[in-house]
Amino acid sequence: MHSNRIRIDSPSNPRLRRWTRILEDGRRKDASWVGIEGVKQILELSKLMPIRELLVDADVTEIPPLLASRSERVFELEGSLYRRISGVESPQGVLAFFDRPRWSWDDMTPRVLYLDRLQDPGNLGTLIRTAAAAGTFSLAASPGTVSFFNRKVVRSSAGLLFRAPFLEDVEPEQLSSRKYRFWLLEPSAERSLFETALKPPYAVVVGSEGAGLDRGRYAEAGARGLRIPMAAGVESLNAAVAASLIMYEEVRRSLDAS
């Protein structure tokens, strides 16, 4: 694949507005690309799919030949323009646009994390990374949950959006109709994670950081509570930490059973 290299020095170039829109508006259903920054992550993803457009800070970065060869088009941006597009304090000098991952119900695993109006992009990015690492969970998000394509989520997920299956705007009924049993992550629940067998298919519900869970939404589905044991005086864990513990407890059990 031969790259067409284009130099951009003007802040009025319309491509800058298009790239910014793609990076900042994660909720757009018609958006087809996602932006990934950093040579290491881009190199790994470019083994699986072509780079649609590659942006390079021409002031500080030489275009990596391998990335250029895997890109449909390469843009060399004047430094201040690249930093404006990147939007981070310490840009990595290389940003690539790939086709967005498209997952379906057929990709969903028997073990699901159901994110009920989770708002923190960092927490969602951590859960994506942990789900990809654990390898046995997929993710489903209710309406009102931060977008998987939110700029901060993409950055904190370290490119693993392409490894952990996920679906957005999923109502609880869509899971229960597919025979998923709900376990609600609650500090006051009777059942302890370490003493409870979780039989797939099931969905562990992780509530929003502020409002928590609306138990009534799951009453008809026969939801049960599940707690992670904590020392006296500790009320709760960070949402991403709690869900990560559940994922790796299942990894441990599968190893013990093998």
Side-chain angles (χ1 to χ4, degrees), residues 1 8 48 67 80 87 105 112 115 132 144 168 202 231 236 256:
M1 185 182 299
I8 295 180
L48 307 174
L67 290 186
S80 65
W105 281 105
V112 167
L115 312 176
E168 296 189 282
Y202 66 80
S236 64
D256 287 348

PDB file of all heavy atoms in Angstrom, residues 1 8 48 67 80 87 105 112 115 132 144 168 202 231 236 256:
ATOM      1  N   MET A   1       0.858  -1.187   0.000  1.00  0.00           N
ATOM      2  CA  MET A   1       0.000   0.000   0.000  1.00  0.00           C
ATOM      3  C   MET A   1       0.893   1.234   0.000  1.00  0.00           C
ATOM      4  O   MET A   1       1.720   1.421   0.875  1.00  0.00           O
ATOM      5  CB  MET A   1      -0.878   0.005   1.256  1.00  0.00           C
ATOM      6  CG  MET A   1      -1.897   1.118   1.297  1.00  0.00           C
ATOM      7  SD  MET A   1      -2.834   1.046   2.859  1.00  0.00           S
ATOM      8  CE  MET A   1      -3.585  -0.569   2.718  1.00  0.00           C
ATOM      9  N   ILE A   8       0.297  19.666   5.919  1.00  0.00           N
ATOM     10  CA  ILE A   8      -0.716  20.631   6.330  1.00  0.00           C
ATOM     11  C   ILE A   8      -0.091  21.639   7.287  1.00  0.00           C
ATOM     12  O   ILE A   8       0.412  21.265   8.348  1.00  0.00           O
ATOM     13  CB  ILE A   8      -1.922  19.942   6.994  1.00  0.00           C
ATOM     14  CG1 ILE A   8      -2.641  19.043   5.976  1.00  0.00           C
ATOM     15  CG2 ILE A   8      -2.887  20.974   7.565  1.00  0.00           C
ATOM     16  CD1 ILE A   8      -3.850  18.330   6.535  1.00  0.00           C
ATOM     17  N   LEU A  48      -3.824  -5.896  11.921  1.00  0.00           N
ATOM     18  CA  LEU A  48      -5.143  -6.500  11.749  1.00  0.00           C
ATOM     19  C   LEU A  48      -5.994  -5.785  10.720  1.00  0.00           C
ATOM     20  O   LEU A  48      -6.902  -6.391  10.140  1.00  0.00           O
ATOM     21  CB  LEU A  48      -5.889  -6.479  13.100  1.00  0.00           C
ATOM     22  CG  LEU A  48      -5.159  -7.092  14.297  1.00  0.00           C
ATOM     23  CD1 LEU A  48      -5.969  -6.868  15.565  1.00  0.00           C
ATOM     24  CD2 LEU A  48      -4.921  -8.576  14.061  1.00  0.00           C
ATOM     25  N   LEU A  67       4.527   2.088   9.447  1.00  0.00           N
ATOM     26  CA  LEU A  67       3.198   2.667   9.554  1.00  0.00           C
ATOM     27  C   LEU A  67       2.796   3.358   8.257  1.00  0.00           C
ATOM     28  O   LEU A  67       1.645   3.268   7.822  1.00  0.00           O
ATOM     29  CB  LEU A  67       3.133   3.671  10.710  1.00  0.00           C
ATOM     30  CG  LEU A  67       3.194   3.108  12.126  1.00  0.00           C
ATOM     31  CD1 LEU A  67       2.978   4.222  13.150  1.00  0.00           C
ATOM     32  CD2 LEU A  67       2.154   2.023  12.328  1.00  0.00           C
ATOM     33  N   SER A  80       1.989  22.763  16.024  1.00  0.00           N
ATOM     34  CA  SER A  80       0.885  23.311  16.806  1.00  0.00           C
ATOM     35  C   SER A  80      -0.460  22.754  16.334  1.00  0.00           C
ATOM     36  O   SER A  80      -1.387  22.588  17.135  1.00  0.00           O
ATOM     37  CB  SER A  80       0.875  24.836  16.722  1.00  0.00           C
ATOM     38  OG  SER A  80       0.613  25.269  15.393  1.00  0.00           O
ATOM     39  N   GLY A  87      -4.914  17.008  21.547  1.00  0.00           N
ATOM     40  CA  GLY A  87      -5.675  17.420  22.715  1.00  0.00           C
ATOM     41  C   GLY A  87      -5.161  16.910  24.042  1.00  0.00           C
ATOM     42  O   GLY A  87      -5.865  16.985  25.048  1.00  0.00           O
ATOM     43  N   TRP A 105     -24.645  -9.291  18.804  1.00  0.00           N
ATOM     44  CA  TRP A 105     -24.996 -10.227  19.868  1.00  0.00           C
ATOM     45  C   TRP A 105     -24.282 -11.557  19.700  1.00  0.00           C
ATOM     46  O   TRP A 105     -24.017 -12.256  20.679  1.00  0.00           O
ATOM     47  CB  TRP A 105     -26.509 -10.436  19.917  1.00  0.00           C
ATOM     48  CG  TRP A 105     -27.228  -9.315  20.616  1.00  0.00           C
ATOM     49  CD1 TRP A 105     -27.962  -8.318  20.037  1.00  0.00           C
ATOM     50  CD2 TRP A 105     -27.260  -9.063  22.025  1.00  0.00           C
ATOM     51  NE1 TRP A 105     -28.443  -7.454  20.997  1.00  0.00           N
ATOM     52  CE2 TRP A 105     -28.040  -7.901  22.229  1.00  0.00           C
ATOM     53  CE3 TRP A 105     -26.713  -9.703  23.135  1.00  0.00           C
ATOM     54  CZ2 TRP A 105     -28.278  -7.376  23.497  1.00  0.00           C
ATOM     55  CZ3 TRP A 105     -26.957  -9.184  24.405  1.00  0.00           C
ATOM     56  CH2 TRP A 105     -27.722  -8.034  24.578  1.00  0.00           C
ATOM     57  N   VAL A 112     -21.173 -11.413  31.057  1.00  0.00           N
ATOM     58  CA  VAL A 112     -21.275 -10.029  30.593  1.00  0.00           C
ATOM     59  C   VAL A 112     -21.193  -9.074  31.779  1.00  0.00           C
ATOM     60  O   VAL A 112     -21.751  -9.347  32.849  1.00  0.00           O
ATOM     61  CB  VAL A 112     -22.608  -9.804  29.840  1.00  0.00           C
ATOM     62  CG1 VAL A 112     -22.895  -8.318  29.636  1.00  0.00           C
ATOM     63  CG2 VAL A 112     -22.590 -10.518  28.497  1.00  0.00           C
ATOM     64  N   LEU A 115     -23.177  -2.345  32.267  1.00  0.00           N
ATOM     65  CA  LEU A 115     -22.830  -1.045  32.829  1.00  0.00           C
ATOM     66  C   LEU A 115     -24.078  -0.171  32.834  1.00  0.00           C
ATOM     67  O   LEU A 115     -24.579   0.231  31.782  1.00  0.00           O
ATOM     68  CB  LEU A 115     -21.716  -0.410  32.001  1.00  0.00           C
ATOM     69  CG  LEU A 115     -20.538  -1.350  31.692  1.00  0.00           C
ATOM     70  CD1 LEU A 115     -19.520  -0.669  30.794  1.00  0.00           C
ATOM     71  CD2 LEU A 115     -19.893  -1.834  32.983  1.00  0.00           C
ATOM     72  N   ALA A 132     -10.578  -7.413  28.148  1.00  0.00           N
ATOM     73  CA  ALA A 132      -9.719  -7.969  27.103  1.00  0.00           C
ATOM     74  C   ALA A 132      -8.648  -8.869  27.703  1.00  0.00           C
ATOM     75  O   ALA A 132      -8.326  -9.924  27.153  1.00  0.00           O
ATOM     76  CB  ALA A 132      -9.079  -6.839  26.302  1.00  0.00           C
ATOM     77  N   GLY A 144     -27.417   6.062  28.460  1.00  0.00           N
ATOM     78  CA  GLY A 144     -26.946   6.953  29.510  1.00  0.00           C
ATOM     79  C   GLY A 144     -25.547   6.654  29.990  1.00  0.00           C
ATOM     80  O   GLY A 144     -24.989   7.421  30.773  1.00  0.00           O
ATOM     81  N   GLU A 168     -23.634  -1.093  22.888  1.00  0.00           N
ATOM     82  CA  GLU A 168     -24.122   0.111  23.554  1.00  0.00           C
ATOM     83  C   GLU A 168     -25.643   0.195  23.483  1.00  0.00           C
ATOM     84  O   GLU A 168     -26.287  -0.447  22.645  1.00  0.00           O
ATOM     85  CB  GLU A 168     -23.496   1.353  22.912  1.00  0.00           C
ATOM     86  CG  GLU A 168     -21.982   1.412  23.079  1.00  0.00           C
ATOM     87  CD  GLU A 168     -21.397   2.740  22.637  1.00  0.00           C
ATOM     88  OE1 GLU A 168     -21.241   2.955  21.418  1.00  0.00           O
ATOM     89  OE2 GLU A 168     -21.115   3.567  23.528  1.00  0.00           O
ATOM     90  N   TYR A 202     -24.782 -15.093  32.515  1.00  0.00           N
ATOM     91  CA  TYR A 202     -25.160 -14.118  33.528  1.00  0.00           C
ATOM     92  C   TYR A 202     -24.572 -12.752  33.192  1.00  0.00           C
ATOM     93  O   TYR A 202     -23.614 -12.640  32.409  1.00  0.00           O
ATOM     94  CB  TYR A 202     -24.726 -14.563  34.926  1.00  0.00           C
ATOM     95  CG  TYR A 202     -23.229 -14.623  35.153  1.00  0.00           C
ATOM     96  CD1 TYR A 202     -22.499 -13.472  35.431  1.00  0.00           C
ATOM     97  CD2 TYR A 202     -22.552 -15.843  35.108  1.00  0.00           C
ATOM     98  CE1 TYR A 202     -21.126 -13.529  35.652  1.00  0.00           C
ATOM     99  CE2 TYR A 202     -21.188 -15.909  35.330  1.00  0.00           C
ATOM    100  CZ  TYR A 202     -20.477 -14.753  35.601  1.00  0.00           C
ATOM    101  OH  TYR A 202     -19.126 -14.810  35.813  1.00  0.00           O
ATOM    102  N   ALA A 231     -13.239  -4.787  54.472  1.00  0.00           N
ATOM    103  CA  ALA A 231     -12.974  -4.559  55.888  1.00  0.00           C
ATOM    104  C   ALA A 231     -14.031  -3.625  56.473  1.00  0.00           C
ATOM    105  O   ALA A 231     -14.621  -2.802  55.762  1.00  0.00           O
ATOM    106  CB  ALA A 231     -11.580  -3.969  56.082  1.00  0.00           C
ATOM    107  N   SER A 236     -17.491   0.991  49.985  1.00  0.00           N
ATOM    108  CA  SER A 236     -17.567   0.530  48.601  1.00  0.00           C
ATOM    109  C   SER A 236     -16.213   0.624  47.926  1.00  0.00           C
ATOM    110  O   SER A 236     -15.287   1.264  48.434  1.00  0.00           O
ATOM    111  CB  SER A 236     -18.585   1.367  47.816  1.00  0.00           C
ATOM    112  OG  SER A 236     -18.160   2.719  47.733  1.00  0.00           O
ATOM    113  N   ASP A 256      -8.556 -23.178  38.401  1.00  0.00           N
ATOM    114  CA  ASP A 256      -8.671 -24.232  39.418  1.00  0.00           C
ATOM    115  C   ASP A 256      -9.388 -25.452  38.880  1.00  0.00           C
ATOM    116  O   ASP A 256      -9.108 -26.582  39.295  1.00  0.00           O
ATOM    117  CB  ASP A 256      -9.418 -23.694  40.645  1.00  0.00           C
ATOM    118  CG  ASP A 256      -8.560 -22.739  41.465  1.00  0.00           C
ATOM    119  OD1 ASP A 256      -7.335 -22.671  41.229  1.00  0.00           O
ATOM    120  OD2 ASP A 256      -9.128 -22.064  42.352  1.00  0.00           O
TER     121      ASP A 256
END
